[in-house]
Amino acid sequence: MAKLVINPEKKISRIQKEIYGHFSEHLGRCIYEGIYVGEDSPIPNVNGMRTDVVEALKKIKVPVLRWPGGCFADEYHWMDGIGPKEKRKKMINTHWGGVVEDNSFGTHEYFELCRQLGCETYVNGNLGSGTVQEMSEWVEYITFKGVSPMADLRKENGHEEPWKIDFFGVGNENWGCGGNMNPDYYANEYRRYQTYVRNYNCSQEEEEEHGIKKICCGANVDDYEWTREVLKTCFNHCDESLHGHMNGLSLHYYVHPEGWEIKGSATDFDDAVWYKTLSKAYYMDELIRRHGAIMDEFDPEKKIGMIVDEWGTWFTVEPGTNPGFLYQQNTIRDALVAGITLNVFNKHSDRVKMANLAQIVNVLQAVILTEGADMILTPTYHVFDMYKAHQDAMLLDSSIDSEEIGVTEEFQVPNLTESVSMAEDGTIHITVTNASPEETYPVETHIMESAVSEINGEMVQGEMHEKNTFEAPDTVKIKEFTDIEMTDGGFCFRIPPCAVVHLTVKRNV
Ligand code: AHR
């Protein structure tokens, strides 16, 4: 029988709520249709944001939303998206699907969306094709309180008060769509551009707590050289002059079961591809450890957060949809990818300070899909709903017995993964995944020095292909999990196949 041992006295690190972050790009039907329908739409909305989507996102406590890209960010010129809508430029979204981008969703609309969601803001600037001046003026436009050309322009456009930028990305994927730069070239550009991402509304002393957190473009997957070279140029813990220049370094990693070229179907797969997908999801653990080890060399005090601001499954698009829209279905397999990956992030919360699932609505591993006025919640949504209990909680020391399973040598995955946290009030939250398509595993659980007084369980579980559709929107939902039994040393639960389980445990203290 597998043993899960938890030490409630050993708190490892805070699981920053931003690990449960999301990403929204001007791509396909993510922003337009998925979130923003405009004030005149027959779809119920508040200031153009669809009410059903906003309410569903509030339920999972979206902590932070990255915008406007992605690759779109390094082609985005923010001035195109301000002022009277009828005067905004209409252009072709050359990167994604060749459709008309009318710029009706711009800076004001993004901050309105974040206000409605009650989430932090993560604006991604354009380093690839924009100027230093343009980036600097965007920050001035958004955040400057006093009298200045950009602050005055914001006021003319109807917003007297400045907004707050919590995180600012200085370019996106600058090794690829963001300018095809080499690490040394980008790192020097980063140093230059970030200089003008000014903190207007707080003193230098207050910057650490209240300032804009600057995110430097990090590596694609296993490009360890990029991480090393960028840090060498931009961050050196012995060089005081470089402090405060970088708060985060990003990492992008997508799961393509059949590789980048073929990708693979979102819904039609066999056991071998199931394991391949989950094994590739678990690879996130190795990526974080290896990039993290390089970061440790430069930043042993872990001042820079690893920001996994794009992650998730990337399958072949749904048949009949625009290939540039990246619209895909979402099954129990995606729920497992989410559960495994979020457990990995929690376990590495000493270094991983933010992560953003790609993407929030209608694109890639979305939590919500829409069709006209209809909306469905995906299996991934329900995992985020259960895991929200970890937001800002303390990661506890824990371990579970697991074994590698799979149908081929190459693609093995741990049958069980877990992470455990303690909330402010002492409640313990345990999340566990079972990657086996057929085995139920009993797990004997021991919380050291504690007597358990109450346990509640919930789970997302089903046959591996199960999904929600507009015809059957509730096939996959959170179900009660009751296969739990108190034992002398703690409790035992039996986790069924293809499951993501969340246990809420109260103790006698
Ligand atoms: O999320 C889709 C795309 O994937 C993003 O625009 C880009 O940053 C990444 O390559």
Side-chain angles (χ1 to χ4, degrees):
M1 184 177 317
K3 278 200 172 53
L4 167 59
V5 180
I6 300 163
N7 182 353
E9 295 307 319
K10 200 161 166 199
K11 298 193 176 87
I12 295 179
S13 45
R14 185 168 298 282
I15 300 173
Q16 298 290 339
K17 64 176 188 290
E18 291 84 1
I19 284 181
Y20 291 85
H22 290 264
F23 169 38
S24 58
E25 181 165 10
H26 287 237
L27 194 177
R29 298 185 303 112
C30 181
I31 296 284
Y32 300 112
E33 284 187 49
I35 297 173
Y36 183 74
V37 286
E39 288 164 22
D40 302 330
S41 170
I43 299 175
N45 69 85
V46 175
N47 298 328
M49 314 298 156
R50 48 191 296 173
T51 311
D52 53 353
V53 169
V54 167
E55 288 309 313
L57 293 176
K58 274 162 71 175
K59 180 157 187 281
I60 57 170
K61 293 201 165 125
V62 169
V64 59
L65 184 64
R66 177 174 182 239
W67 172 83
C71 295
F72 185 80
D74 280 284
E75 293 198 71
Y76 184 59
H77 300 285
W78 66 272
M79 287 227 182
D80 297 341
I82 56 168
K85 291 204 174 159
E86 61 286 0
K87 291 206 179 130
R88 295 189 193 174
K89 276 188 194 161
K90 291 192 176 34
M91 50 185 60
I92 301 296
N93 187 334
T94 42
H95 214 95
W96 300 118
V99 288
V100 174
E101 163 63 63
D102 69 1
N103 283 299
S104 55
F105 189 98
T107 302
H108 291 244
E109 290 73 24
Y110 167 70
F111 281 91
E112 168 60 11
L113 171 63
C114 292
R115 185 195 67 77
Q116 291 188 24
L117 293 174
C119 74
E120 292 177 317
T121 58
Y122 177 5
V123 175
N124 209 116
N126 176 350
L127 178 143
S129 72
T131 62
V132 174
Q133 181 180 357
E134 185 182 2
M135 188 181 284
S136 169
E137 287 184 341
W138 199 11
V139 174
E140 181 189 327
Y141 183 89
I142 295 170
T143 63
F144 191 61
K145 262 194 198 130
V147 177
S148 84
M150 291 303 116
D152 292 350
L153 184 58
R154 182 191 70 237
K155 290 171 197 169
E156 265 170 47
N157 286 331
H159 212 273
E160 186 67 29
E161 288 302 312
W163 295 283
K164 183 165 190 295
I165 299 177
D166 295 294
F167 301 90
F168 193 90
V170 184
N172 166 73
E173 296 196 350
N174 302 92
W175 35 260
C177 64
N180 285 307
M181 300 171 187
N182 63 38
D184 183 50
Y185 182 84
Y186 168 73
N188 281 298
E189 288 291 90
Y190 175 82
R191 289 177 66 136
R192 186 162 77 108
Y193 276 70
Q194 68 79 31
T195 308
Y196 306 96
V197 175
R198 299 231 185 263
N199 276 306
Y200 292 106
N201 302 328
C202 62
S203 66
Q204 225 175 339
E205 295 71 55
E206 292 170 333
E207 268 183 17
E208 192 155 329
E209 215 181 320
H210 301 291
I212 299 172
K213 297 208 164 40
K214 298 171 192 173
I215 315 290
C216 176
C217 167
N220 186 28
V221 196
D222 58 352
D223 186 351
Y224 301 111
E225 193 202 338
W226 179 276
T227 299
R228 183 176 296 285
E229 289 306 310
V230 165
L231 286 174
K232 216 186 264 176
T233 305
C234 297
F235 189 91
N236 178 337
H237 71 288
C238 299
D239 180 352
E240 279 299 322
S241 70
L242 288 179
H243 280 172
H245 288 186
M246 191 197 293
N247 302 98
L249 182 65
S250 66
L251 169 67
H252 287 185
Y253 173 55
Y254 287 98
V255 171
H256 310 291
E258 304 292 4
W260 167 250
E261 292 295 332
I262 302 173
K263 296 187 179 73
S265 164
T267 50
D268 183 14
F269 52 89
D270 59 15
D271 278 14
V273 180
W274 159 270
Y275 280 120
K276 208 186 255 193
T277 311
L278 300 190
S279 161
K280 288 186 176 194
Y282 191 70
Y283 180 54
M284 182 67 89
D285 184 63
E286 177 174 333
L287 291 173
I288 294 173
R289 277 190 285 107
R290 295 185 63 182
H291 284 292
I294 298 169
M295 291 175 81
D296 286 348
E297 289 173 30
F298 292 86
D299 172 34
E301 293 164 52
K302 297 192 176 6
K303 289 186 171 174
I304 312 172
M306 188 185 290
I307 308 293
V308 191
D309 56 13
E310 291 188 30
W311 70 273
T313 54
W314 188 325
F315 301 125
T316 307
V317 298
E318 278 299 288
T321 63
N322 186 330
F325 280 15
L326 311 186
Y327 177 77
Q328 64 190 39
Q329 248 296 359
N330 199 292
T331 66
I332 285 285
R333 179 175 57 157
D334 293 82
L336 263 292
V337 168
I340 290 170
T341 309
L342 292 169
N343 278 344
V344 167
F345 290 154
N346 287 347
K347 290 271 189 187
H348 288 287
S349 52
D350 60 332
R351 178 61 86 180
V352 176
K353 298 297 173 192
M354 171 156 60
N356 308 74
L357 178 71
Q359 298 193 8
I360 195 160
V361 185
N362 289 336
V363 171
L364 301 177
Q365 195 179 345
V367 289
I368 291 176
L369 302 177
T370 67
E371 217 173 73
D374 296 332
M375 171 194 88
I376 55 173
L377 308 175
T378 65
T380 301
Y381 174 94
H382 295 301
V383 172
F384 271 76
D385 198 8
M386 295 196 303
Y387 275 58
K388 71 186 176 202
H390 288 305
Q391 290 191 20
D392 276 339
M394 292 302 294
L395 177 73
L396 296 182
D397 182 47
S398 67
S399 64
I400 196 164
D401 296 333
S402 64
E403 54 181 291
E404 297 284 308
I405 54 171
V407 292
T408 63
E409 279 282 293
E410 198 185 353
F411 295 108
Q412 296 273 316
V413 64
N415 58 341
L416 302 171
T417 73
E418 50 74 41
S419 65
V420 182
S421 71
M422 187 188 282
E424 198 101 319
D425 66 356
T427 306
I428 293 179
H429 292 281
I430 305 171
T431 46
V432 187
T433 60
N434 178 0
S436 169
E438 64 271 328
E439 287 286 331
T440 295
Y441 297 101
V443 182
E444 196 185 308
T445 307
H446 176 57
I447 305 182
M448 290 158 76
E449 313 285 330
S450 309
V452 170
S453 61
E454 191 187 325
I455 312 175
N456 286 297
E458 54 180 359
M459 68 175 173
V460 175
Q461 192 269 340
E463 192 279 326
M464 61 168 78
H465 301 96
E466 277 183 357
K467 58 180 188 287
N468 292 334
T469 63
F470 290 90
E471 295 70 40
D474 288 323
T475 307
V476 180
K477 58 183 179 192
I478 297 178
K479 301 187 264 203
E480 203 185 353
F481 175 68
T482 52
D483 202 348
I484 312 167
E485 207 181 298
M486 300 302 259
T487 60
D488 286 344
F491 60 93
C492 181
F493 64 94
R494 288 164 47 82
I495 185 165
C498 307
V500 183
V501 162
H502 169 216
L503 301 173
T504 302
V505 182
K506 296 212 188 279
R507 296 166 304 146
N508 294 319
V509 276

